[in-house]
């Protein structure tokens, strides 16, 4: 799409508007000096055509405005949802990670303490047996 495309479209619209105006003025001037039902019908058609053109423009403008507002609203909702979801997800992840880490640490500590307890008990029994053998009991 060229940079001049919107200007060409506006220029075309200007020529259409100019044509409507020139035909309307010429027909009205003709009707002022001489009444002809065909020219009057043509003038009526021009007026109806112009009104339909204005209605079409308004429909297009409304659609453009709705799309623009819709896009802005979607962008705003998207940023708000991302902000809220990221905060909630971060809090949930932190909570779940903390709970999981605490559970793992507790399990590992219990396991290692149990292993150390067994090792210490075994060493104590060995030392007690050795001490008993050395002391002659």
């Amino acid at each position: 799409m060229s940079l001049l495309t919107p200007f060409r479209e506006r220029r075309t619209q200007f020529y259409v508007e100019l044509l409507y105006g020139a035909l309307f003025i010429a027909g009205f001037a003709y009707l002022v000096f001489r009444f002809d039902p065909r020219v009057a019908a043509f003038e009526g058609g021009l007026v109806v055509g112009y009104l339909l053109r204005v209605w079409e423009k308004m429909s297009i403008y409304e659609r453009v405005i709705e799309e623009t507002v819709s896009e802005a609203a979607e962008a705003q909702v998207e940023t708000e949802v991302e902000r809220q979801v990221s905060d909630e997800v971060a809090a949930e992840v932190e909570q779940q990670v903390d709970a999981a880490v605490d559970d793992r640490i507790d399990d590992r500590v219990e396991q290692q303490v149990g292993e150390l307890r067994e090792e210490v008990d075994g060493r104590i029994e060995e030392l007690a047996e050795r001490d008993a053998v050395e002391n002659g009991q």
Side-chain angles (χ1 to χ4, degrees):
M1 182 173 169
S2 170
L3 189 59
L4 297 175
T5 302
F7 296 118
R8 287 185 185 145
E9 290 174 5
R10 289 212 170 108
R11 188 180 308 154
T12 303
Q13 289 176 1
F14 171 75
Y15 290 138
V16 169
E17 301 289 333
L18 186 64
L19 182 63
Y20 266 110
L23 287 173
F24 185 74
I25 291 171
F28 188 74
Y30 183 81
L31 286 176
V32 166
F33 296 111
R34 184 167 182 211
F35 182 77
D36 186 358
R38 293 173 294 185
V39 176
F42 181 73
E43 287 290 304
L46 280 176
V47 170
V48 170
Y50 191 76
L51 292 176
L52 289 175
R53 183 165 167 76
V54 169
W55 185 21
E56 176 192 22
K57 282 183 184 180
M58 293 305 296
S59 298
I60 291 171
Y61 292 149
E62 286 176 358
R63 192 172 337 127
V64 168
I65 289 172
E66 285 176 4
E67 289 174 1
T68 304
V69 168
S70 176
E71 288 173 3
E74 286 175 7
Q76 187 175 5
V77 167
E78 182 180 349
T79 56
E80 186 65 25
V81 166
E82 284 179 5
R83 186 184 63 78
Q84 287 180 357
V85 168
S86 66
D87 292 347
E88 291 175 9
V89 167
E92 184 70 25
V93 165
E94 184 177 335
Q95 180 183 4
Q96 288 183 4
V97 167
D98 287 346
V101 167
D102 288 344
D103 290 345
R104 278 189 152 174
I105 288 174
D106 290 343
D107 291 344
R108 194 168 246 178
V109 166
E110 287 178 21
Q111 180 185 7
Q112 288 181 353
V113 166
E115 290 173 2
L116 285 174
R117 192 173 281 151
E118 290 175 9
E119 188 178 321
V120 168
D121 287 345
R123 292 277 294 185
I124 289 175
E125 287 177 14
E126 279 180 31
L127 290 174
E129 286 176 13
R130 197 182 329 153
D131 194 35
V133 171
E134 288 178 2
N135 288 336
Q137 293 179 349

